[in-house]
Amino acid sequence: ANDFYLRLFRIVRLIKLDKYFPSITLIDDVVRLKRKVLTVTGFAAVTLWIIFAAFLYLAENLDTENAVDPVPVYGCGSSNRPAIIEPQEEEVPFWKFWIKEEEMITPEPVYEGLECTMSDRFQNFFDSMIYTGIHLTGDYPVITYNLAGRVICFFMVIVAVGVVAIPSGIIAGSFAEIVQSKARARSGKRPARGNIGDDWYDIQYAALEGIPPPFSALGLEFDIWQQNVNDFLNGKENTTRQAKWTPAASAFRKFMLTLIIVNIASVVLQSIPEIDRYIGNEHSNFFNVLEGISAIFFATEYLLRLLSAPKSRAALYSTTVYATTFFGLVDFVSAAPWFIRQYLLFTGAIELGSNSARLFRVFRVARILEIEGFVIAFSKLDNVFRASKEILKATGLMALIIWIICGSLFFIFEENNPNWRECDSSIPPWGNDAIPGCYDFATTAACNEVYPEMCKQEAFTDIPNSLYYTAVFLVGEWGLVDFTWPGRLVCMFLCVAGIGLYAIPTGALFDSFGAIIGMGGDD
């Protein structure tokens, strides 16, 4: 076992990736850049943390009224091992001669000292600091407080906004500034504008201003056809750079918008059994016919846009760029599932009406994203991600390193935490020298040696299981909180790290989205 834990240290090699894709080391630059501001906000956060931890300890240390789930690692209500009151077998009275001795029901043993309350979680000030630290990040996995504790939590909710928001904003802004500065230094060039949103796509798009699309290699006629199709689908820019559509093109756009809305409505209505039964669920029913017609229109539109992309400046005169943009992918997903479903039905891989066949209906919901072609909101998402790619890569690698290392540490520290152990009801929670209990064993494996396959660890059973819980913890949701002390230290680290890992990409995407939308004017 010790050899296994030593081999786990190989995970630390993950940090070596930072040499190739800087991420963790950038935090040092952020701290140096904003040292004074972070010192002030950090001091304020620690002060508030200590104050609220003290108040919560005073409120809950003697709270023996609010019961909690068993937490044997904390003593479970008593500093002494809970006692077992052995049941006394009743003797059969002489006048109940018809009852046999073996038919008497033996009462189950009673375990004293197993009543777990909030006082077990708040045994001292340092215990209180753990739960208070989690609360100050905005999560409340523990809510069974008394009145005084609830009042304290109410004020913590208010204060937590500043404790999290201020350092989050500072870290996010500084990290974005440093990452972009290093990226520009590596590339040896600076964008034409100073906006965060001015990244690859915007630079390329601006560079194409006034440049006509390339001629098609398939000849003049095909070149003219491509241009006409592009003008029909995307409109033709006038002198004020506003797209104008012909009456036919405008009618087509309205038809496609209506078709999208009808498709979304059909997905919703088809999920209602009464409506689905009334219209019919056989082959060639209304919903299937509508889906087939819609798929043909969407597929046709996708192919036309794909073929005319070399004439579209929005696609950078490139079919590949269009196919990999947000709407290129949406256009593909809007049509492809129906054809895949038809192929699988034809080959017999799935049956009509089966769950697998019905699954393809859900993909029709993606067509709601087609509305973005008419109401601009997410249409520049791909530009936003391109603009933030350096920051997202750095924070993504940082998150990966922290996630895997902390997940491994949680596995090491919590693998045999009795708080996550469940035993068969026939096993006493605590035992004596003759009959050991569920929580008497140092490990779950040792418990199973005495009670084969009757002891089970519910959480942190292996590294993948620990990674699952750690991923949830990193986004600020703490479904489990009753850790051992080493696990509590990892918990506190994740509370702090989670703020930055959430704030940095969120702030970067927000700034990029605002910058890119602002670059488009009021359109």
Side-chain angles (χ1 to χ4, degrees):
N2 292 333
D3 177 65
F4 172 73
Y5 291 135
L6 287 174
R7 283 186 282 118
L8 277 179
F9 277 99
R10 289 180 294 178
I11 292 175
V12 178
R13 295 173 185 170
L14 190 65
I15 301 177
K16 290 172 67 69
L17 288 174
D18 193 85
K19 292 196 303 184
Y20 307 97
F21 306 100
S23 57
I24 297 289
T25 51
L26 297 182
I27 294 297
D28 177 59
D29 297 333
V30 171
V31 173
R32 284 204 306 269
L33 181 66
K34 299 292 182 180
R35 182 178 64 255
K36 292 183 179 180
V37 180
L38 289 175
T39 300
V40 174
T41 55
F43 178 79
V46 171
T47 301
L48 291 170
W49 181 22
I50 293 174
I51 291 173
F52 280 115
F55 279 124
L56 204 56
Y57 165 70
L58 293 175
E60 295 296 327
N61 176 247
L62 300 177
D63 182 3
T64 57
E65 298 296 324
N66 290 307
V68 300
D69 292 333
V71 282
V73 77
Y74 302 154
C76 209
S78 173
S79 58
N80 300 317
R81 173 175 293 186
I84 303 176
I85 302 178
E86 296 292 346
Q88 301 294 323
E89 295 186 0
E90 298 182 30
E91 295 184 0
V92 181
F94 73 92
W95 48 271
K96 291 186 178 180
F97 57 88
W98 65 87
I99 299 180
K100 297 180 181 180
E101 189 80 26
E102 58 270 16
E103 293 179 354
M104 292 294 293
I105 298 176
T106 302
E108 294 186 359
V110 177
Y111 306 101
E112 287 187 338
L114 285 176
E115 299 80 9
C116 302
T117 64
M118 290 293 283
S119 63
D120 295 296
R121 283 175 167 158
F122 291 85
Q123 295 179 21
N124 54 59
F125 171 76
F126 297 102
D127 290 339
S128 180
M129 287 192 73
I130 303 301
Y131 299 106
T132 305
I134 294 175
H135 293 338
L136 283 174
T137 62
D139 194 35
Y140 280 76
V142 178
I143 56 174
T144 52
Y145 291 110
N146 56 26
L147 179 59
R150 293 179 182 182
V151 172
I152 295 168
C153 286
F154 171 77
F155 286 102
M156 269 200 290
V157 170
I158 299 173
V159 171
V161 176
V163 170
V164 173
I166 296 174
S168 295
I170 296 171
I171 293 172
S174 302
F175 197 89
E177 182 181 340
I178 290 172
V179 168
Q180 289 182 337
S181 174
K182 290 182 179 292
R184 291 167 185 166
R186 286 197 305 270
S187 63
K189 62 181 179 181
R190 186 177 299 273
R193 302 178 186 176
N195 292 323
I196 287 179
D198 266 342
D199 210 291
W200 178 84
Y201 177 85
D202 302 290
I203 297 171
Q204 299 297 322
Y205 184 84
L208 293 175
E209 185 173 359
I211 298 177
F215 287 102
S216 172
L218 298 179
L220 180 61
E221 290 186 3
F222 188 76
D223 189 86
I224 295 173
W225 178 84
Q226 280 183 311
Q227 188 62 59
N228 291 336
V229 170
N230 179 65
D231 293 343
F232 180 82
L233 294 174
N234 301 316
K236 191 172 183 179
E237 286 189 359
N238 57 18
T239 54
T240 60
R241 295 186 179 179
Q242 297 294 318
K244 296 295 181 181
W245 286 269
T246 63
S250 181
F252 177 76
R253 285 169 56 81
K254 292 177 182 177
F255 169 76
M256 293 300 294
L257 175 59
T258 303
L259 189 62
I260 293 167
I261 296 172
V262 170
N263 268 260
I264 301 306
S266 72
V267 173
V268 176
L269 294 175
Q270 196 172 4
S271 68
I272 302 173
E274 294 79 6
I275 295 178
D276 193 28
R277 284 196 300 268
Y278 179 77
I279 295 180
N281 199 27
E282 299 297 327
H283 190 62
S284 298
N285 68 52
F286 171 77
F287 289 125
N288 284 343
V289 172
L290 174 65
E291 168 61 7
I293 294 173
S294 301
I296 292 172
F297 273 102
F298 288 126
T300 302
E301 183 196 21
Y302 175 69
L303 290 175
L304 290 175
R305 290 187 180 277
L306 207 61
L307 291 172
S308 64
K311 301 298 179 182
S312 172
R313 185 185 168 198
L316 304 183
Y317 302 146
S318 168
T319 300
T320 303
V321 170
Y322 163 72
T324 56
T325 58
F326 177 74
F327 276 115
L329 296 174
V330 169
D331 290 341
F332 176 78
V333 173
S334 296
W338 184 82
F339 293 96
I340 296 173
R341 178 175 178 267
Q342 296 305 117
Y343 173 76
L344 294 177
L345 287 171
F346 177 77
T347 57
I350 61 175
E351 295 181 3
L352 186 66
S354 65
N355 289 333
S356 298
R358 286 197 294 267
L359 178 64
F360 284 91
R361 297 177 186 173
V362 179
F363 283 98
R364 283 182 279 173
V365 176
R367 291 173 185 168
I368 195 171
L369 299 175
E370 292 267 12
I371 296 177
E372 285 305 315
F374 307 93
V375 183
I376 300 299
F378 287 98
S379 59
K380 303 217 174 199
L381 261 185
D382 52 332
N383 301 347
V384 171
F385 279 102
R386 283 195 182 99
S388 307
K389 64 181 179 182
E390 294 295 334
I391 299 171
L392 294 179
K393 284 194 297 186
T395 52
L397 178 59
M398 189 192 312
L400 178 67
I401 293 172
I402 293 174
W403 176 44
I404 294 179
I405 291 179
C406 289
S408 302
L409 290 175
F410 267 129
F411 168 66
I412 294 172
F413 299 143
E414 303 297 320
E415 178 188 12
N416 293 299
N417 184 342
N419 289 347
W420 324 128
R421 188 180 303 162
E422 293 286 341
C423 296
D424 188 83
S425 58
S426 62
I427 304 175
W430 296 93
N432 48 39
D433 294 336
I435 305 175
C438 177
Y439 304 132
D440 288 324
F441 298 96
T443 67
T444 305
C447 181
N448 278 315
E449 289 179 4
V450 178
Y451 304 104
E453 298 184 3
M454 300 174 71
C455 310
K456 181 182 178 183
Q457 199 75 3
E458 295 293 330
F460 306 105
T461 54
D462 49 44
I463 289 182
N465 181 269
S466 297
L467 289 174
Y468 164 73
Y469 286 105
T470 306
V472 177
F473 298 158
L474 272 172
V475 296
E477 297 295 331
W478 293 86
L480 302 174
V481 289
D482 297 313
F483 304 111
T484 60
W485 261 110
R488 287 177 168 186
L489 296 178
V490 180
C491 166
M492 284 293 92
F493 171 77
L494 284 182
C495 284
V496 177
I499 293 175
L501 290 177
Y502 174 80
I504 293 170
T506 302
L509 291 173
F510 180 81
D511 289 343
S512 297
F513 193 87
I516 288 175
I517 293 298
M519 287 165 57
D522 299 327
D523 297 341

